[in-house]
Amino acid sequence: TEKGLEGIGDPSAMFLTKREGRPPAGVANTAVFEGSRIFIVEIQALTVPAKSSISRVYSDKIDSARVARVAAVLEKKTGLTFSNQDIYINVAGGVKLSESAIDAALAASLYSARTGIELEENSVLTGELSLAGEIRPVQRLKLRVKTAKELGFKKVYAPESEEGAFRIRTVQELVKIIAEKGRKTETNP
């Protein structure tokens, strides 16, 4: 300001879309480290039938190979087909994400986009996804959960028991939670 630098109370606001109620299908939040701070960011996914015989991944904020790998694990472990879909991924605010802790939220956004099931409002997901479909622990989980709670998120899903977090161990558990607690809006062919 004209008086100098002022602190930002909630820097995550730059990476989230303010909305009332549930996020649209394909949207999931995750907690990421940028330097020494944690931000809550919104991952957005869209799946549409492939325009050619080869499906493609369009993502410049998350590595396309990571997106393809997470989609392949979802396809193998849940039976939901992604191999005939073009996949579009975006991160609100334009930040590039590279840490493995985003995998659970990326899987949730892809599953949500493909099924048309909206995720719970005010929820955050964190965890690394293995090729076996396990959701693996991430560094500084306690701080991720604390930050999410301080910013008003009511549910945090994580691979380890942590005060204030709900434990998810596999991608199958993750999609079961989405199916049970989500709300169906539209379907993708």
Side-chain angles (χ1 to χ4, degrees):
T1 68
E2 62 275 351
K3 296 178 183 178
L5 295 175
E6 290 185 12
I8 298 174
D10 179 11
S12 290
M14 297 174 6
F15 309 113
L16 297 170
T17 304
K18 297 286 184 197
R19 54 175 67 89
E20 294 293 320
R22 289 179 182 264
V27 173
N29 299 314
T30 191
V32 298
F33 267 95
E34 183 63 36
S36 62
R37 294 200 62 178
I38 293 181
F39 296 97
I40 307 298
V41 298
E42 179 180 285
I43 297 175
Q44 305 163 352
L46 173 69
T47 62
V48 295
K51 294 166 189 59
S52 65
S53 60
I54 300 172
S55 63
R56 296 188 179 154
V57 174
Y58 300 92
S59 175
D60 61 344
K61 303 304 179 198
I62 298 174
D63 182 55
S64 296
R66 178 180 297 278
V67 175
R69 180 181 56 79
V70 170
V73 171
L74 274 170
E75 186 164 330
K76 177 72 174 179
K77 297 299 178 180
T78 68
L80 188 61
T81 305
F82 285 90
S83 56
N84 63 355
Q85 300 287 302
D86 283 341
I87 299 172
Y88 296 84
I89 299 293
N90 188 41
V91 178
V95 66
K96 281 190 161 262
L97 303 179
S98 61
E99 70 172 311
S100 60
I102 69 169
D103 290 354
L106 179 57
S109 67
L110 284 167
Y111 182 83
S112 173
R114 186 71 176 95
T115 62
I117 299 174
E118 298 170 340
L119 293 150
E120 295 174 87
E121 64 184 293
N122 295 318
S123 63
V124 171
L125 300 108
T126 190
E128 178 183 351
L129 183 62
S130 76
L131 292 179
E134 302 160 312
I135 298 179
R136 299 180 37 80
V138 297
Q139 293 181 349
R140 301 185 207 154
L141 178 60
K142 187 175 197 166
L143 190 52
R144 292 174 200 266
V145 173
K146 180 181 176 215
T147 300
K149 293 292 187 174
E150 286 173 353
L151 293 175
F153 289 90
K154 295 182 177 30
K155 293 215 176 158
V156 178
Y157 294 97
E160 295 178 312
S161 295
E162 181 61 53
E163 187 177 332
F166 296 88
R167 188 171 186 196
I168 48 170
R169 291 173 279 214
T170 67
V171 72
Q172 293 95 326
E173 286 180 15
L174 175 62
V175 298
K176 183 178 179 187
I177 289 169
I178 294 170
E180 288 174 355
K181 299 183 183 282
R183 185 176 67 194
K184 185 89 166 160
T185 58
E186 60 183 76
T187 57
N188 264 333

